[in-house]
Amino acid sequence: MKYPPPHHQDNNLDHMIEVIKTYPLATVISVENNEPIITHLPLILNDAGKLIGHIDIYNSQAQLLKDNKKITIIFTGPQCYISPSVYSTTQLPTWNYIKVHIKGTVKAIDSKEALKKSLITMTEFLETPDHKYVLDPDNKRMEGNLDYIKMFEITIESWEGKFKLSQDKRPKDIELARTELIRANQASIVAFLEKVF
């Protein structure tokens, strides 16, 4: 795959690709009449280095995902508050997070055959590694919905990784922050989902 260079040279492209693969639900931002239009959609990176997605035709953003319009994409990885109590040295409170910002152009793919193939490919990717479900090419429900789904392809023009992971600390404190990021994410998801789901 050939990719445009990252926006800043200190970004690691492999790490940014890993964020996209692990956290494919993207914030997709278009602009119309100086107003941002935002949708959250899973996107996958294809072998040509382009992002592929699908959108409901009734979503107001669907009409903006074509004609090589400019688009901004944000992928979000783990994040959490880091208390000074976590570190082995005196520090201030901070927030650690992982984000990937992508800018590019988007075009609609109008082929029903390409849409169908893309839906199957995306399902296969999202079912990795166990593949408990396989979307069959002759699936009647999929066939019945093809008229209500638009496929689009994003050509990436720039990448920017925002990996704020206590890199300015001593090695021991970096490892302590990493441990806290894992612990906090595992603990917070259980507590949060018990409240809202």
Side-chain angles (χ1 to χ4, degrees):
M1 285 187 254
K2 184 174 168 127
Y3 300 104
H7 187 258
H8 294 297
Q9 292 306 312
D10 60 338
N11 290 325
N12 184 315
L13 186 58
D14 289 338
H15 289 165
M16 289 189 280
I17 290 170
E18 200 56 41
V19 173
I20 292 170
K21 288 180 176 177
T22 307
Y23 300 95
L25 184 67
T27 301
V28 180
I29 307 166
S30 301
V31 176
E32 184 176 43
N33 301 323
N34 293 321
E35 287 287 326
I37 311 294
I38 301 168
T39 304
H40 305 284
L41 299 167
L43 302 177
I44 60 170
L45 202 54
N46 71 11
D47 291 338
K50 296 185 179 190
L51 291 167
I52 304 297
H54 314 100
I55 191 166
D56 186 301
I57 63 168
Y58 297 113
N59 183 312
S60 61
Q61 196 171 9
Q63 295 307 310
L64 302 175
L65 301 179
K66 60 184 180 181
D67 302 329
N68 291 313
K69 291 182 189 289
K70 296 284 187 189
I71 193 160
T72 300
I73 310 293
I74 301 172
F75 291 94
T76 300
Q79 51 84 30
C80 80
Y81 168 73
I82 304 289
S83 166
S85 66
V86 166
Y87 295 116
S88 65
T89 56
T90 302
Q91 302 291 337
L92 291 171
T94 192
W95 201 278
N96 279 357
Y97 57 86
I98 296 171
K99 302 272 186 183
V100 174
H101 295 186
I102 289 177
K103 292 190 179 198
T105 56
V106 62
K107 72 174 191 175
I109 305 296
D110 293 321
S111 162
K112 273 196 184 174
E113 199 52 45
L115 170 60
K116 189 171 162 179
K117 184 178 178 190
S118 177
L119 290 167
I120 292 167
T121 300
M122 182 177 276
T123 301
E124 183 179 305
F125 172 79
L126 296 173
E127 286 285 334
T128 302
D130 299 329
H131 299 285
K132 292 180 180 178
Y133 174 80
V134 174
L135 182 55
D136 190 285
D138 299 320
N139 184 296
K140 299 268 190 252
R141 187 163 189 172
M142 177 178 61
E143 288 284 349
N145 281 285
L146 293 177
D147 289 334
Y148 304 99
I149 302 168
K150 287 284 185 189
M151 177 183 171
F152 59 90
E153 168 185 281
I154 298 164
T155 299
I156 299 169
E157 294 178 342
S158 70
W159 306 68
E160 187 172 7
K162 307 230 177 220
F163 289 69
K164 185 175 179 299
L165 299 170
S166 299
Q167 296 98 320
D168 60 334
K169 312 293 185 240
R170 294 179 181 175
K172 182 176 182 183
D173 285 340
I174 291 172
E175 185 56 36
L176 290 168
R178 180 183 179 277
T179 301
E180 177 61 7
L181 186 63
I182 294 168
R183 186 210 63 78
N185 276 269
Q186 290 173 340
S188 68
I189 193 167
V190 173
F192 173 74
L193 290 178
E194 284 178 352
K195 290 177 184 173
V196 302
F197 187 34

